Amino acid sequence: MGFRPLHDRVLVRRIEADEKTAGGIIIPDTAKEKPQEGEVVAAGAGAKNEEGKVSPLDVKAGDRILFGKWSGTEVKVNGEDLLIMKESDILGIVG
């Protein structure tokens, strides 16, 4: 991929939710919410602290993460819809 986020930003691909509920009910596209789970595609080097040292990010490419409903900015990279967000917008890493 020809894109690398800067500083403490990460590039995320949304992971689509299931089209059925656990009970077998099919959810139509109009009723679906945007998924809040994704996979980190690329991560920046980290943020600089007050002394000028770079503190590395806790996430890396390939991690599955949870993020807030309104987090990030939608971007199109190589024809694919992705999100770019700060590491602080990430709620946690899914084990």
Side-chain angles (χ1 to χ4, degrees), residues 20-57:
K20 286 185 182 180
T21 64
I25 298 172
I26 297 174
I27 303 169
D29 289 337
T30 55
K32 287 184 188 174
E33 290 188 12
K34 290 186 177 180
Q36 293 175 263
E37 187 174 344
E39 177 185 356
V40 176
V41 176
K48 288 186 180 178
N49 61 17
E50 294 166 0
E51 291 106 34
K53 295 180 182 177
V54 176
S55 56
L57 300 180

Side-chain angles (χ1 to χ4, degrees), residues 21-89:
T21 64
I25 298 172
I26 297 174
I27 303 169
D29 289 337
T30 55
K32 287 184 188 174
E33 290 188 12
K34 290 186 177 180
Q36 293 175 263
E37 187 174 344
E39 177 185 356
V40 176
V41 176
K48 288 186 180 178
N49 61 17
E50 294 166 0
E51 291 106 34
K53 295 180 182 177
V54 176
S55 56
L57 300 180
D58 290 332
V59 296
K60 61 187 178 309
D63 285 347
R64 286 181 68 134
I65 59 167
L66 291 177
F67 51 88
K69 187 178 282 191
W70 308 110
S71 298
T73 302
E74 293 183 359
V75 295
K76 191 168 272 215
V77 178
N78 296 336
E80 186 178 7
D81 290 326
L82 302 171
L83 288 171
I84 190 163
M85 65 182 69
K86 286 187 164 254
E87 185 187 35
S88 60
D89 291 337

